[in-house]
């Protein structure tokens, strides 16, 4: 069954509100993020907001992001990236936010930046940021929208 026009419109708007597009690629073992610098800085801001919520200090607390809600950030004993989540202590996740911010500050449109192993060398998956133009529309990357 294909989504209705109203569902597609709503999904497009959710991507635009998020400010970036993400996808999980199990074959290449990576979380792929595409967005303008401002959009990808929104991901760092989401991490900081997550860390700023005291209820998220508890082990296994988590939040889901995006139209399909499969991007999960989770509080855990050690930092890592896998097919299930981007996780770590709140200090780890704040460090990831800083890493994203610092990396994006010197990035240029067209750059591809691999951050997963900078976050943690033992990461099962990589975290890859593709820097797009300022007018990038994250909804255009969703192949499920007609």
């Amino acid at each position: 069954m294909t989504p209705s026009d109203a569902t597609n419109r709503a999904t497009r708007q959710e991507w635009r509100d998020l400010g970036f597009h993400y996808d999980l690629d199990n074959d290449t073992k990576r979380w792929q993020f595409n967005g303008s610098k401002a959009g990808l800085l929104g991901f760092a801001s989401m991490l900081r907001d997550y860390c700023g919520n005291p209820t998220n200090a508890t082990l296994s607390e988590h939040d889901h992001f995006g139209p399909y809600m499969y991007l999960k950030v989770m509080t855990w004993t050690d930092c890592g990236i896998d097919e299930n989540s981007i996780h770590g202590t709140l200090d780890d996740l704040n460090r990831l936010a800083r890493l994203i911010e610092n990396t994006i500050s010197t990035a240029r449109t067209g750059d591809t930046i691999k951050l997963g192993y900078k976050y943690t060398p033992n990461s099962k998956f990589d975290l890859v940021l593709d820097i797009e133009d300022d007018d990038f529309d994250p909804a255009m990357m969703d192949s499920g929208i007609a």
Side-chain angles (χ1 to χ4, degrees):
M1 186 166 138
T2 58
S4 70
D5 287 342
T7 299
N8 284 337
R9 277 192 305 276
T11 303
R12 277 189 208 94
Q13 190 57 51
E14 287 180 56
W15 281 122
R16 291 172 182 142
D17 291 345
L18 188 64
F20 58 90
H21 182 271
Y22 68 83
D23 199 13
L24 172 65
D25 187 331
N26 281 305
D27 293 333
T28 60
K29 296 193 177 306
R30 70 185 196 176
W31 283 91
Q32 177 71 47
F33 286 70
N34 292 73
S36 66
K37 289 173 85 168
L40 292 170
L41 285 172
F43 178 52
S45 179
M46 287 170 34
L47 288 170
R48 290 200 183 281
D49 290 346
Y50 178 88
C51 294
N53 182 342
T55 62
N56 289 332
T58 306
L59 197 63
S60 293
E61 281 299 320
H62 62 276
D63 206 349
H64 296 266
F65 301 96
Y68 304 110
M69 305 298 277
Y70 65 86
L71 173 58
K72 181 165 76 171
V73 173
M74 183 172 72
T75 307
W76 199 242
T77 55
D78 56 350
C79 59
I81 302 169
D82 59 27
E83 69 279 1
N84 183 50
S85 67
I86 297 170
H87 53 271
T89 65
L90 296 185
D91 285 342
D92 291 330
L93 295 169
N94 264 317
R95 183 173 51 80
L96 177 58
R98 233 180 0 267
L99 181 60
I100 292 167
E101 291 163 347
N102 291 340
T103 301
I104 288 176
S105 71
T106 60
R108 296 174 190 234
T109 299
D111 285 353
T112 296
I113 302 158
K114 295 183 176 188
L115 293 179
Y117 303 106
K118 290 180 181 178
Y119 177 53
T120 174
N122 299 323
S123 182
K124 294 179 182 175
F125 278 59
D126 204 352
L127 174 64
V128 180
L129 307 178
D130 275 338
I131 311 299
E132 307 288 350
D133 289 327
D134 289 342
D135 61 352
F136 173 73
D137 181 0
M140 300 310 292
M141 296 210 55
D142 188 334
S143 60
I145 299 175

